[in-house]
Amino acid sequence: MRLNIGLEGTSQPGEVSVAVQIVVVMTLLTLAPSIVLLMTSFTRIVIVLGFVRTALGTPSAPSNQIIVGLALFLTYFLMGPVVDRVQKEALNPYLEGKITSVEALDKASVPLRDFMLKQTRARDVEYFLELGGFGPTAVKDLPMRVVIPAFIISELQTAFQMGFLLFLPFLVIDFLVSSVLMALGMMMMPPTVVALPLKLLLFVLVDGWHLVVKSLVQSFAT
């Protein structure tokens, strides 16, 4: 039995050589964490879940591993339609030999770009177009180097807006507890000792995790 590994160029027109394909694959594997973190719904989800933990006043419960794990599985759920489009429009035709690797990469970027643009504010796109020196550009012609940073900035803005709304009810509880303790003359009693169980009770009574996850999922449907 003999195994031959060659890096000869391809005979198909428009197809890149095997060596270049290997370099592209290795580059994609290197950038995979960044793609998952910054070009999907993961950014908004993990930030909002972190705000929930901070608003409750429990910095170690749930742990970082649970927060990141939940964010990853929610990302997997939300990005399912995008992955299906990539597989249907790019991966399957490439594996069947109907399109070249370059065409497959171009087609694979379309569903991801559509997803990002759907969640991106127009002003953020316009800002990076102006910053990059681009003129008026149609949506279908927007380069990824404009779409990606605009999407990240929009996701950060949306996540912090949701975090602000999450903090409001817990902030009211902190104010009430502090006022009651001062009125009773219990100056030495830390307000967090009394406020924490009340915040946990409120969160459990309103089924907080369900509401948070539901709000996150629905925020990507708009």
Side-chain angles (χ1 to χ4, degrees):
M1 180 179 296
R2 184 175 60 181
L3 175 64
N4 292 325
I5 299 178
L7 297 180
E8 296 85 358
T10 176
S11 59
Q12 298 180 6
E15 182 68 275
V16 298
S17 64
V18 176
V20 176
Q21 293 183 32
I22 293 175
V23 173
V24 172
V25 171
M26 295 302 296
T27 303
L28 290 177
L29 290 177
T30 304
L31 297 177
S34 299
I35 294 175
V36 173
L37 292 178
L38 299 177
M39 296 174 62
T40 65
S41 57
F42 180 84
T43 300
R44 183 190 306 183
I45 294 172
V46 76
I47 292 176
V48 171
L49 294 179
F51 276 137
V52 171
R53 184 176 61 182
T54 304
L56 285 172
T58 56
S60 59
S63 63
N64 290 331
Q65 291 85 349
I66 296 177
I67 292 293
V68 173
L70 178 58
L72 283 174
F73 279 106
L74 287 176
T75 300
Y76 173 73
F77 171 78
L78 289 169
M79 298 301 295
V82 178
V83 175
D84 291 341
R85 280 191 59 190
V86 171
Q87 182 176 3
K88 180 180 179 180
E89 299 175 7
L91 183 59
N92 289 342
Y94 173 70
L95 294 178
E96 295 171 359
K98 297 180 179 178
I99 59 176
T100 64
S101 57
V102 176
E103 293 173 338
L105 288 175
D106 291 338
K107 290 180 178 294
S109 65
V110 173
L112 190 58
R113 182 175 60 184
D114 292 344
F115 168 80
M116 290 190 289
L117 286 175
K118 189 177 180 181
Q119 308 299 328
T120 304
R121 292 174 173 81
R123 65 179 184 181
D124 293 327
V125 176
E126 293 171 357
Y127 170 73
F128 283 100
L129 282 175
E130 180 181 356
L131 195 64
F134 296 93
T137 307
V139 174
K140 63 182 180 62
D141 298 327
L142 288 173
M144 291 295 283
R145 65 190 183 101
V146 169
V147 175
I148 293 174
F151 169 74
I152 295 172
I153 296 300
S154 294
E155 285 296 280
L156 291 174
Q157 179 72 11
T158 303
F160 274 72
Q161 289 175 350
M162 297 180 69
F164 170 76
L165 296 177
L166 283 170
F167 266 91
L168 287 180
F170 301 111
L171 189 61
V172 171
I173 293 178
D174 288 331
F175 277 133
L176 291 176
V177 170
S178 299
S179 300
V180 171
L181 291 178
M182 289 186 64
L184 295 176
M186 303 175 66
M187 305 296 183
M188 302 303 294
M189 172 68 73
T192 55
V193 175
V194 181
L196 178 57
L198 294 178
K199 289 191 286 187
L200 291 176
L201 178 62
L202 173 65
F203 195 72
V204 171
L205 290 178
V206 300
D207 199 2
W209 288 114
H210 173 77
L211 292 177
V212 170
V213 171
K214 180 180 178 181
S215 298
L216 282 169
V217 173
Q218 290 179 345
S219 69
F220 287 98
T222 57

